[in-house]
Amino acid sequence: MTINIRALAAKCCYAVIDKGRSLSDELPKQQDKLLGKDKGLLQEICYGVLRYLPELENDVSHLMQKPLKGKQRVFHFLLLVGVYQIRYMRIPDHAAVSETVSATSTLKNRHMKALVNAVLRGFLRTQEAASKLENKTDKNLPDSIKYNHPSWFIKKIQQSYPEQWQGILDANQQRPPMWLRTNQQHHTSEQYQALLIAAEIDIANIEVNSQAIALAHPIDVAKLPGFEQGWVSVQDGAAQQAARLLDCQPNDVVLDCCAAPGGKTCHIIELTPDIASMTAIDIEEGRLTRVHENLARLGLSAKVITADAASKDWWSGELFDRILLDAPCSGTGVIRRHPDIKWLRKADDIDKLVILQQQILDNIWSLLKPGGTLLYATCSVLPEENCQQIARFVEQNQDAQLIAITGNNLDTDENSIGWQLLPDAKNMDGFYYAKLLKLK
């Protein structure tokens, strides 16, 4: 029997929104049932529904007498899948409606066929009129529908970035760029750029500090020259700043906390292969599989440990020269890569994360040698996780000195508390870095 992609998309979105499961976990389960380009189509639909969830739900609500609940709930998401295709995809309207209606059989409830068909055809009939009406009444819509973000998050971003909040929300709605990290053990960035040009792979831009390469269009990694040989890795330009800022030296004893999936671990070793040792820890054993896979593909080695960074149970007693703490965070800087973050993350999660970050930071600081460097990093744009967190830490620890992060094309100065990258700047993800020296 032919597998209906729309049915798989409805199941996936239902699992994320109603069951609170991660899109990164759910999408591969459904993609495993498909081949070739169908995997990409499923991803496009799922990502799209989650990007525009409030808007799509608003569209559907106007065409139904009452919401779908209980066993019929998955069909609510099937309707969102249908409306998303009509609104945002180049699939012909008749094909979008037909394939979505056919999904009712795959979802084992043919009684819903008439409802799905009626709602989608009703949306088609009213789309032009509704579009004109929206243009006139857009100001009356709640912000959550206008900007396709939860209200609590919009308010936080408005308060934190009164001049930039709309740009941040807009950037979150865009498709993420594909950035490459050249393995310096094989090629310089310039040499690898030449390989890309020879392979007719278009380059959009080069990040000046890290020499990260942004492609004009995402491609299958199998098409990247030397990917299987470890010549290159996929890693956002913002994340590539970590190894550069940590600035490891020969014979350093290095720790990477919360290391999975291991991109930063590998980058550090690539840049400084003559460090004394690299230890990578993460609390989730399952995620460390990716660390091992990345190390193996790149031909690198590290001591990988399943461990809680908030405790010392795993520690051998040897102090570290350099520590990267990629702290657990809200992930609010990488929403364009993980649109489910908007709906899985709740307002009261932030205070809990801030406390956890404090616990880990206090614990890991005690493992750093006097004279050593700790780089604190998050993929968050919220000040309470970032500059406010570091300001508190420096104030409470007299042996902690903040090192200014300045340099080429950076929007920071000597008085900045760390470096906050926003997702609408330089086409990189939202990220935060703070560099701390432990005084002797």
Side-chain angles (χ1 to χ4, degrees):
M1 186 177 82
T2 304
I3 297 173
N4 188 292
I5 296 171
R6 282 77 180 172
L8 297 182
K11 287 181 178 179
C12 191
C13 294
Y14 169 71
V16 171
I17 300 302
D18 279 22
K19 300 298 182 181
R21 295 171 187 158
S22 165
L23 182 61
S24 298
D25 292 334
E26 290 301 313
L27 182 58
K29 294 178 185 176
Q30 304 299 343
Q31 285 180 317
D32 285 345
K33 303 171 185 177
L34 300 171
L35 298 173
K37 293 182 179 179
D38 287 348
K39 292 177 183 283
L41 177 58
L42 176 61
Q43 177 172 310
E44 162 66 18
I45 294 174
C46 290
Y47 271 64
V49 170
L50 295 176
R51 282 195 183 104
Y52 296 98
L53 184 67
E55 180 184 300
L56 300 175
E57 290 192 319
N58 183 57
D59 290 335
V60 168
S61 68
H62 292 310
L63 297 166
M64 298 184 65
Q65 293 181 341
K66 58 181 181 180
L68 297 173
K69 298 180 180 179
K71 293 181 179 179
Q72 296 180 335
R73 183 64 176 164
V74 69
F75 293 94
H76 168 78
F77 293 97
L78 184 61
L79 290 170
L80 303 186
V81 165
V83 172
Y84 173 71
Q85 293 170 88
I86 295 168
R87 261 192 178 277
Y88 291 106
M89 296 185 72
R90 287 182 284 183
I91 298 171
D93 291 345
H94 67 87
V97 172
S98 175
E99 287 295 321
T100 306
V101 170
S102 296
T104 57
S105 297
T106 305
L107 294 171
K108 300 179 180 179
N109 194 330
R110 296 187 180 184
H111 298 296
M112 297 298 295
K113 182 175 181 179
L115 174 66
V116 173
N117 186 60
V119 170
L120 294 184
R121 292 196 181 280
F123 179 71
L124 281 173
R125 287 193 300 270
T126 61
Q127 188 181 20
E128 184 175 349
S131 177
K132 293 177 182 178
L133 183 64
E134 280 176 14
N135 288 337
K136 294 177 182 178
T137 62
D138 191 50
K139 293 181 180 178
N140 297 323
L141 287 172
D143 281 353
S144 60
I145 296 175
K146 279 196 290 187
Y147 298 109
N148 286 294
H149 283 72
S151 297
W152 72 266
F153 180 72
I154 295 174
K155 290 176 183 176
K156 271 190 175 292
I157 296 300
Q158 288 174 331
Q159 292 168 359
S160 301
Y161 305 99
E163 303 297 324
Q164 301 156 294
W165 66 272
Q166 287 178 301
I168 294 171
L169 297 183
D170 180 65
N172 287 348
Q173 293 297 99
Q174 306 307 311
R175 287 174 172 80
M178 184 173 182
W179 285 86
L180 304 181
R181 183 187 83 234
T182 305
N183 186 346
Q184 300 294 316
Q185 300 305 305
H186 291 280
H187 301 87
T188 64
S189 178
E190 291 79 7
Q191 290 170 338
Y192 196 79
Q193 290 167 43
L195 292 175
L196 291 173
I197 293 169
E200 298 184 343
I201 298 172
D202 293 335
I203 297 170
N205 65 286
I206 309 297
E207 199 282 316
V208 63
N209 294 293
S210 65
Q211 292 298 296
I213 303 169
L215 299 185
H217 307 285
I219 64 170
D220 189 319
V221 294
K223 296 180 180 179
L224 293 172
F227 179 80
E228 291 300 329
Q229 291 76 34
W231 295 1
V232 69
S233 298
V234 177
Q235 186 181 37
D236 187 79
Q240 290 191 48
Q241 307 299 318
R244 177 182 71 84
L245 292 173
L246 191 59
D247 191 26
C248 292
Q249 301 298 309
N251 300 314
D252 275 351
V253 178
V254 184
L255 172 65
D256 185 358
C257 295
C258 314
K264 300 179 188 70
T265 304
C266 293
H267 194 194
I268 291 167
I269 304 172
E270 289 171 4
L271 289 183
T272 321
D274 49 359
I275 56 174
S277 66
M278 165 63 78
T279 301
I281 69 170
D282 199 280
I283 196 170
E284 294 185 34
E285 185 172 3
R287 297 189 71 220
L288 286 173
T289 300
R290 290 284 308 282
V291 179
H292 287 291
E293 290 172 350
N294 283 321
L295 287 166
R297 182 180 65 83
L298 294 164
L300 305 173
S301 62
K303 187 176 183 180
V304 180
I305 304 172
T306 304
D308 181 0
S311 80
K312 293 187 177 71
D313 294 346
W314 56 274
W315 184 45
S316 68
E318 182 181 23
L319 293 173
F320 296 94
D321 297 288
R322 309 268 168 164
I323 297 178
L324 170 61
L325 172 51
D326 194 355
C329 72
S330 61
T332 47
V334 292
I335 285 174
R336 63 182 176 182
R337 296 190 184 280
H338 305 282
D340 53 326
I341 286 173
K342 290 190 290 186
W343 317 118
L344 296 178
R345 188 68 66 212
K346 306 302 178 187
D348 58 2
D349 291 341
I350 307 306
D351 289 341
K352 297 173 185 175
L353 283 165
V354 168
I355 292 171
L356 176 60
Q357 291 160 359
Q358 290 174 0
Q359 292 171 344
I360 294 175
L361 189 50
D362 289 339
N363 179 61
I364 293 301
W365 187 250
S366 68
L367 311 186
L368 184 66
K369 286 181 184 178
T373 300
L374 183 146
L375 183 67
Y376 177 86
T378 76
C379 54
S380 169
V381 295
L382 301 180
E384 49 263 63
E385 298 182 85
N386 297 338
C387 59
Q388 293 175 15
Q389 180 75 275
I390 294 303
R392 175 207 65 85
F393 183 80
V394 172
E395 183 179 350
Q396 295 181 359
N397 292 270
Q398 294 183 350
D399 61 347
Q401 178 180 313
L402 184 66
I403 303 173
I405 298 175
T406 57
N408 296 330
N409 204 26
L410 299 189
D411 50 357
T412 60
D413 58 40
E414 293 290 337
N415 298 315
S416 297
I417 302 177
W419 178 26
Q420 179 70 68
L421 294 93
L422 299 178
D424 63 335
K426 303 179 180 66
N427 207 24
M428 296 190 291
D429 289 345
F431 239 84
Y432 175 78
Y433 290 107
K435 194 170 182 178
L436 298 169
L437 173 68
K438 191 169 190 177
L439 300 175
K440 295 181 180 180

